[in-house]
Amino acid sequence: MRWLHFYLRFVVAASLLLIVAGGLVTSTGSGLAVPDWPNTYGTFMFAFPFSQMVGGIFYEHGHRLIASTVGLLTIGLAVWLARIEPRRWVRRLGWTALAAVVTQGLLGGITVLYFLPAPVSISHAGLAQIFFALVVSLTLFTSPGWRTGPGGYGARSDPVLARLALAAPAVIYGQILIGATMRHTGAGLAIPDFPLAFGHLVPPQWTTGIAIHFAHRVGAVAVTAMVLATAGHLLFHHPGRRELTRPALLLSALVLVQVGLGAWTVLSGRQVAVNTAHVAVGAAAFAASVVLALRVHRERFADAGADVRPASSDAAEPIAGSEARA
Amino acid sequence: MRHRTFWILVSLAAIAVAGACNSRSDVPPVSIVPEGGGAAANAVGATGTSTVSGSITFEGEPPAPETIRMNSDPVCVKEATNTETEYYVVGDGGGLGNVFVYVKEGLSGSYSASGETIVLDQQGCRYTPHVFGVQVGQTVQITNSDPTLHNIHATPAVNAEFNTGQPIQGMSMERTFDQVEVAPDGSPMVPFKCDVHGWMNAYVGVLDHPYFVTTGPDGAFDIGNLPAGNYVIAAWHEMLGEQTQNVTVGDGATANVSFTFTAG
C-alpha cells in the first residue's frame, strides 16, 4: 500500500504537469497546431519526430504525449487498486479516474476535430479538474494519515465547518468553470483594466464577454471570502487540528496567489507564463479544498481505513471545539 | 460489477482507436462547392469596357514594421527572407499596399467562376500573397514550399472552416468557397492562419463577381471590363478597416477614385 501511495503522488505530479501543458496550449493559441487526432500530421503520435515539434506543435503535441502518459499511469493505478485495495469504494474510484481520463482524451480529440467549440473545450477544462481532484483524493485515501490517523474530524459535531468545507470546493469549481468559459470564449481581456472595470466598480457597458469576465471577478471575491471564512473558522475553533488547519492555510495562500495571478494576467495582456500559472494554481486550490472537505467529512466514510486501523483507534476523537461546546 | 466496468472501459478505448482510422490529414481535400460553381443560376452578369481606377494612399507616418521572432522553428529562421510584419506596406509616394479593392454594390446578374487557379504559397514561413481575392467556386491551390510543416487553418464567418496539415515540403491541396464573404460589416475577410507559426496570416475576399484587385506598394489599382453604371467601390485594409465611395462610370470611360487611410 505504501508503494501505491507513492505511485499516486507521482500520478498527481504528472496530472498537474498535464494541466500546465494544457494551459500552455490555450495560452499560446496552439490548440489547432496539430489538425488531426489521434495521429499527428498523419503519423502515429508516439512516432512523430521530436525535431518536428516546432512552434505550436511543441505545445499541442507535448500536451498529447503527457496526456497519454497520464492515461497509461491511470490504467496502472486502476489495476493496482483492483488488485490490492480492500475498500471497494476506493477501487471504484480508481476505475472512475480511468473513465474520466479516457473521456478527457476523447473530449480533447473532439475539440480539435471540430475546431475548438467552446462547450467541448470548457468541458475538457472542467473534467481535467475533476480528474485531478480524483487522483488527489485517491492519494489522500491511501495515505497513512487517512488510514491510521484519528477518525472523526468533526463534521457532525461542527455543522458550520461541515457546510463551509463542502461549499468551498463547490464555489471554487464553479469559479473554475466560469474561468474556463472566459478562456475558451476569448473574454480574458474583455475588461482590460484591474481592479476597476473600465474605470468603474461595475462595467458601464455590457457584452457577453464582459459579463463572463465580470462574473469571474465576482466569483473571485466569493471564493476568497469563502476560503478565508473557512480558514478563520478553523483557526478560531479548532486551532489544534493541524490536519485541518494546514490544508486550510495552504488553500488560503493559493487563493490569494491566484487572485494576484488573475490581476497580473489582465495587466500583462495575458502573458503566457502568468496565464498558465493562473490555470495551474486554480487546480491546486481546488484540490486543496477537496482535501480539506474530505478530512472534515472523514467520519462519513464508514470504512475509512477500517481494514488497517487497529480496533482500539476506531473510536472518534472529539475535536477541541465540539468538546468545548459539549 | 467489476467485469461490467472493465468492458465499459474497453469499449471507450475501442472508440478512441477507431478514431485513429479517421485521421483528418489522411482525408483527401474535398471541394465544398457543387459542380459548376456556386453562382446562382439567374441572368448572366454583364461585362463592358469601363474602368474604375485610382490609388490608395496612407497619410502620415506609418507605424514601423515589427521584427517577427521566428526562433520557435529553426527552419523558419533559416528560410525566411522577410521577417518584418506586413501590416502597413507603404510605397515611396505614400501608396498603400495589401488593400483589397472591390465592387461592393452596383452589379447585377451572376458571373461564373474564373478558371484561373489562385495559388496561396507558404514560403519562408509567410503566406504569399498576404491579401487576395477569389470568386465563389474559384479554385485556391494552397502549397507548402517550406521544408517544415504548416497547418492551414481558415476561419471564415460564413463559409466552412477548415484546418489541414501539410507536413511535407511540396504538398499542395485545393479549396473553394461556396459563399460570398468579404469584409461583412467591416469585419475581416476570410482569415487564414498557421497555428504552428503564430505570425503567419493571410486574408481572402470571396466575391460572386470578378471585379476586385489587391494593391501593390504603389497603392494603384484598375478594375476593368466593367459595364457602365453606378457602383459602390470599397477598399479594405486589415488594420485600417473599410472605406467606400460611390462612382459613376460611362460606357468605355474611366472613372477615378482615390482613398486615403490614416493610422488610428
Side-chain angles (χ1 to χ4, degrees):
Chain A
M1 188 63 81
R2 192 164 69 101
W3 287 109
L4 175 62
H5 178 66
F6 285 133
Y7 179 77
L8 264 160
R9 286 183 174 212
F10 180 69
V11 176
V12 166
S15 302
L16 188 59
L17 178 66
L18 177 58
I19 287 174
V20 170
L24 280 170
V25 169
T26 317
S27 301
T28 58
S30 306
L32 293 174
V34 180
D36 47 349
W37 181 90
N39 286 342
T40 298
Y41 284 89
T43 303
F44 177 56
M45 65 175 294
F46 294 114
F48 187 74
F50 186 78
S51 62
Q52 292 193 348
M53 283 178 64
V54 295
I57 299 171
F58 175 79
Y59 299 108
E60 171 61 16
H61 187 63
H63 179 51
R64 295 185 189 188
L65 290 178
I66 297 170
S68 302
T69 305
V70 169
L72 292 171
L73 288 172
T74 311
I75 291 172
L77 169 66
V79 171
W80 198 341
L81 283 169
R83 291 178 66 87
I84 73 162
E85 171 59 52
R87 293 165 291 180
R88 192 169 71 165
W89 61 273
V90 177
R91 292 197 302 270
R92 284 186 173 176
L93 216 50
W95 291 117
T96 304
L98 180 55
V101 83
V102 170
T103 307
Q104 181 71 344
L106 292 173
L107 283 174
I110 290 168
T111 204
V112 165
L113 296 178
Y114 290 91
F115 314 118
L116 311 180
V120 181
S121 294
I122 293 164
S123 303
H124 188 61
L127 186 57
Q129 304 286 338
I130 296 286
F131 173 76
F132 184 59
L134 272 173
V135 291
V136 167
S137 302
L138 281 166
T139 310
L140 176 68
F141 298 146
T142 56
S143 66
W146 180 274
R147 291 164 53 232
T148 61
Y153 281 77
R156 287 179 183 151
S157 52
D158 186 346
V160 174
L161 175 61
R163 291 195 192 99
L164 282 173
L166 279 182
V171 172
I172 291 175
Y173 190 68
Q175 170 71 343
I176 283 173
L177 288 182
I178 297 171
T181 305
M182 186 175 77
R183 192 171 175 81
H184 292 285
T185 56
L189 294 177
I191 299 176
D193 49 345
F194 185 91
L196 297 176
F198 301 101
H200 299 77
L201 273 177
V202 176
Q205 70 251 23
W206 291 92
T207 62
T208 304
I210 291 172
I212 294 168
H213 188 118
F214 192 66
H216 194 55
R217 293 190 182 191
V218 172
V221 174
V223 165
T224 306
M226 170 73 65
V227 165
L228 293 182
T230 307
H233 181 89
L234 269 168
L235 289 172
F236 188 76
H237 293 286
H238 313 292
R241 307 302 300 199
R242 291 188 66 225
E243 65 279 358
L244 299 183
T245 55
R246 281 172 64 188
L249 288 173
L250 173 65
L251 175 59
S252 303
L254 286 170
V255 165
L256 293 177
V257 169
Q258 181 71 340
V259 170
L261 284 170
W264 195 3
T265 300
V266 171
L267 296 175
S268 68
R270 285 191 306 183
Q271 203 271 339
V272 169
V274 180
N275 201 358
T276 306
H278 191 55
V279 173
V281 174
F286 178 53
S289 71
V290 169
V291 167
L292 178 61
L294 289 171
R295 284 185 170 174
V296 166
H297 287 270
R298 184 184 170 192
E299 62 193 2
R300 296 180 188 277
F301 294 82
D303 60 345
D307 57 298
V308 290
R309 200 186 323 156
S312 58
S313 70
D314 276 349
E317 183 180 318
I319 61 172
S322 59
E323 194 175 31
R325 278 195 301 276
Chain B
M1 178 61 77
R2 289 171 66 184
H3 288 289
R4 192 172 65 184
T5 308
F6 173 77
W7 284 114
I8 288 171
L9 293 171
V10 167
S11 304
L12 285 171
I15 292 169
V17 171
C21 304
N22 190 29
S23 170
R24 291 169 59 83
S25 63
D26 296 339
V27 178
V30 177
S31 170
I32 54 176
V33 171
E35 281 294 321
N42 53 10
V44 174
T47 59
T49 56
S50 304
T51 301
V52 172
S53 66
S55 62
I56 314 292
T57 308
F58 185 85
E59 193 173 79
E61 189 67 27
E66 298 165 18
T67 300
I68 300 167
R69 296 181 69 228
M70 299 186 177
N71 48 3
S72 64
D73 187 345
V75 175
C76 294
V77 174
K78 184 180 170 190
E79 295 290 321
T81 55
N82 174 17
T83 59
E84 292 191 334
T85 56
E86 44 195 343
Y87 302 134
Y88 298 93
V89 178
V90 179
D92 291 338
L96 183 61
N98 280 339
V99 176
F100 186 64
V101 186
Y102 65 101
V103 176
K104 190 179 181 89
E105 294 174 20
L107 292 164
S108 58
S110 66
Y111 294 85
S112 56
S114 167
E116 180 191 359
T117 296
I118 304 293
V119 176
L120 175 63
D121 194 13
Q122 299 155 102
Q123 189 168 33
C125 294
R126 305 297 290 265
Y127 283 117
T128 306
H130 180 61
V131 178
F132 64 103
V134 295
Q135 283 182 259
V136 170
Q138 186 174 6
T139 301
V140 180
Q141 180 181 316
I142 305 165
T143 303
N144 181 9
S145 297
D146 281 330
T148 188
L149 64 187
H150 293 291
N151 75 306
I152 302 94
H153 184 192
T155 56
V158 179
N159 287 278
E161 183 172 357
F162 64 85
N163 181 23
T164 307
Q166 287 191 336
I168 298 168
Q169 186 177 25
M171 286 183 84
S172 184
M173 66 179 191
E174 294 183 348
R175 282 286 188 273
T176 52
F177 296 92
D178 63 355
Q179 294 187 67
V180 172
E181 187 166 353
V182 53
D185 303 323
S187 60
M189 306 194 293
V190 178
F192 277 74
K193 64 177 177 178
C194 174
D195 299 284
V196 180
H197 309 102
W199 61 85
M200 288 178 65
N201 68 330
Y203 297 95
V204 58
V206 186
L207 290 162
D208 55 2
H209 62 73
Y211 300 109
F212 54 83
V213 67
T214 302
T215 61
D218 63 357
F221 67 88
D222 278 297
I223 300 176
N225 298 327
L226 273 165
N230 301 315
Y231 300 105
V232 175
I233 306 296
W236 178 88
H237 183 270
E238 64 179 297
M239 302 298 285
L240 304 169
E242 185 175 273
Q243 292 184 15
T244 58
Q245 286 192 38
N246 295 311
V247 64
T248 300
V249 59
D251 195 18
T254 296
N256 281 297
V257 180
S258 292
F259 295 89
T260 301
F261 286 90
T262 53

